[in-house]
Amino acid sequence: TQLLEQSPQFLSIQEGENLTVYCNSSSVFSSLQWYRQEPGEGPVLLVTVVTGGEVKKLKRLTFQFGDARKDSSLHITAAQPGDTGLYLCAGAGAAGNKLTFGGGTRVLVKP
Amino acid sequence: NAGVTQTPKFRVLKTGQSMTLLCAQDMNHEYMYWYRQDPGMGLRLIHYSVGEGTTAKGEVPDGYNVSRLKKQNFLLGLESAAPSQTSVYFCASSGGETQYFGPGTRLLVL
């Protein structure tokens, strides 16, 4: 069974501060996805990283896939209250059609 | 284009009762999934389907059954509900690696 551990579980910061969320595993994944989930809704895909060492930027969000494709990080610069939500990482196996989700990181950005 | 829809949105069951959760997608996706989400545990895969007429077990299949009689629908059944099945259930569909999620069904088993 492939496991993904996210840290921290909860993060509370002030508007304008930076934050980093980590996603770690002992298993290799063919790709790693990050989702954001708002209360009462399903998760929505933010980004997919495929290549070891890959870095992707989405406005103030920077995603990195580890060289060995076992870990990933999400960095938010100058966080805003609209960034509040549950962030989930998910790893895809070789077949690509099943995902293993991490436990999630709940982010609260206070104005 | 509604994407992925789930019914009902909320349900309360007594222990031992049965119910069926319905998931529908209008994106012509081959793959469909049922997950449960519990605090601090992310999403855990219950069952999934790689096409019409096929189903397979996920990580936590016990106590649940599924059917995929039509490509656009994926049903999740609880034959005899237990309090441990209190959770939020999400359906998702996929045409590749990206999964599109429904809004969830909140189930409380007393």
Side-chain angles (χ1 to χ4, degrees), chain A residues 12-91:
Chain A
S12 177
I13 60 171
Q14 292 295 134
E15 182 176 1
E17 293 182 336
N18 302 332
L19 69 96
T20 302
V21 176
Y22 299 94
C23 178
N24 295 297
S25 175
S26 58
S27 303
V28 175
F29 292 99
S30 63
S31 66
L32 203 295
Q33 301 179 0
W34 284 92
Y35 290 79
R36 183 166 73 204
Q37 183 179 17
E38 309 222 358
E41 299 180 8
V44 175
L45 180 69
L46 294 173
V47 77
T48 300
V49 284
V50 179
T51 308
E54 182 177 3
V55 177
K56 278 192 175 178
K57 292 193 175 184
L58 189 66
K59 297 183 181 178
R60 294 176 293 99
L61 279 62
T62 302
F63 304 85
Q64 186 162 9
F65 202 12
D67 291 340
R69 290 187 290 133
K70 293 182 179 181
D71 54 85
S72 181
S73 64
L74 156 62
H75 183 78
I76 301 179
T77 303
Q80 299 177 0
D83 296 323
T84 292
L86 178 67
Y87 290 82
L88 295 158
C89 66

Side-chain angles (χ1 to χ4, degrees), chain B residues 6-68:
Chain B
Q6 292 183 234
T7 53
K9 287 183 170 43
F10 177 70
R11 184 78 183 267
V12 179
L13 288 180
K14 293 182 180 178
T15 296
Q17 287 185 318
S18 64
M19 78 164 293
T20 300
L21 284 68
L22 172 64
C23 175
Q25 54 99 359
D26 61 3
M27 295 174 281
N28 201 36
H29 286 164
E30 288 294 334
Y31 305 123
M32 295 188 75
Y33 310 84
W34 274 108
Y35 294 91
R36 61 178 289 172
Q37 185 174 37
D38 302 292
M41 300 187 75
L43 290 156
R44 291 184 292 168
L45 184 64
I46 304 172
H47 286 280
Y48 65 102
S49 168
V50 299
E52 180 179 321
T54 74
T55 63
K57 293 181 180 180
E59 183 186 350
V60 288
D62 293 343
Y64 306 95
N65 57 75
V66 288
S67 64
R68 183 105 181 264

